[in-house]
Amino acid sequence: VTRREDGTLVVVSQGVGRFDVKGVVETLPYDVVEAEWALDADETAEDAEAWRDFEFGPAGVMLTPSKASVAELSPLRPEKAPESAAPATGVDVLERRVWAALDADSALLNRALIAEGASAEEATVRPPAGLRALRPPEVDADDFVPAAAAEWPVARRASRLSFAASGALGLMEPSNGRQTLLDASSSGERLELVLAALAARAEKLRVIVAEKEAGGGGGG
């Protein structure tokens, strides 16, 4: 939490994981609860704790009195990277599929803007900067954000992506799938849910783009 020079109070909420609420400490002047990290089925407490000094900031949501926008990636700290790391267990394939779906999502949004009359230069929709910084180093993209540090193991990076993508893109509202995402006990399960949500959005976007490119879009 920080206060800007103009007096605006800014709260940054990071999409980093799940918590189990153990009890309510107080409710006034605001809610305070006792909570513990909820680990995935394939995660150990020791390994997770060891990596938190390294992963202290990626991919969150910045809240202001007037809008919500995705926060910039806080710097990872390679010198804090421990030697221990959970195995990838095939999640690297899902991670690449999510990035392919994210790039396709941006391409559809760009086509929609161009169909409405925007120039190619103006139609430059990309995933938010805080999310793009979770892109694997081996995935090339002209998105002007450095890829995630090579010291970050696939399993840890994919775990952060599995939490951050939904919140950053508004894929799952509290009344429509968010609890299912939080109940998932592995990065793989969450990434599958993100892929399903992106596929559903892509289906709707294709219809919108087809209508606009056929001349059925625009104002009205």
Side-chain angles (χ1 to χ4, degrees), residues 46-205:
E46 294 77 14
D47 196 55
E49 186 65 29
W51 278 99
R52 284 190 192 115
D53 281 344
F54 173 82
E55 311 168 330
F56 75 99
V61 177
M62 180 176 293
L63 305 177
T64 70
S66 60
K67 66 178 183 177
S69 59
V70 176
E72 295 295 326
L73 174 69
S74 297
L76 296 171
R77 296 186 287 183
E79 75 280 4
K80 297 284 187 178
E83 294 183 1
S84 61
T89 61
V91 78
D92 54 330
V93 176
L94 284 170
E95 183 189 42
R96 289 194 294 272
R97 287 177 59 198
V98 166
W99 277 108
L102 288 171
D103 290 339
D105 185 74
S106 296
L108 283 169
L109 291 170
N110 289 336
R111 283 177 59 190
L113 290 173
I114 290 172
E116 286 188 333
S119 67
E121 291 76 19
E122 293 169 329
T124 55
V125 176
R126 299 185 182 92
L131 194 61
R132 298 201 311 270
L134 301 178
R135 190 185 290 274
E138 67 272 14
V139 177
D140 294 328
D142 184 21
D143 56 15
F144 308 106
V145 174
E151 293 89 350
W152 212 359
V154 172
R156 299 295 306 176
R157 186 182 64 225
S159 176
R160 183 63 57 84
L161 178 66
S162 74
F163 287 112
S166 174
L169 301 173
L171 292 175
M172 298 175 188
E173 297 302 319
S175 61
N176 185 26
R178 187 175 297 175
Q179 189 59 48
T180 302
L181 187 81
L182 293 174
D183 287 339
S185 62
S186 71
S187 300
E189 289 180 56
R190 288 188 296 273
L191 290 174
E192 290 279 14
L193 290 168
V194 169
L195 279 169
L198 284 168
R201 185 156 84 174
E203 185 175 353
K204 295 177 182 178
L205 283 173

Side-chain angles (χ1 to χ4, degrees), residues 16-55:
V16 297
R18 303 178 296 155
F19 292 91
D20 283 332
V21 176
K22 301 300 182 182
V24 177
V25 176
E26 59 184 55
T27 58
L28 294 173
Y30 42 77
D31 292 340
V32 177
V33 299
E34 179 185 0
E36 295 179 356
W37 283 99
L39 302 177
D40 282 346
D42 57 355
E43 189 177 21
T44 67
E46 294 77 14
D47 196 55
E49 186 65 29
W51 278 99
R52 284 190 192 115
D53 281 344
F54 173 82
E55 311 168 330

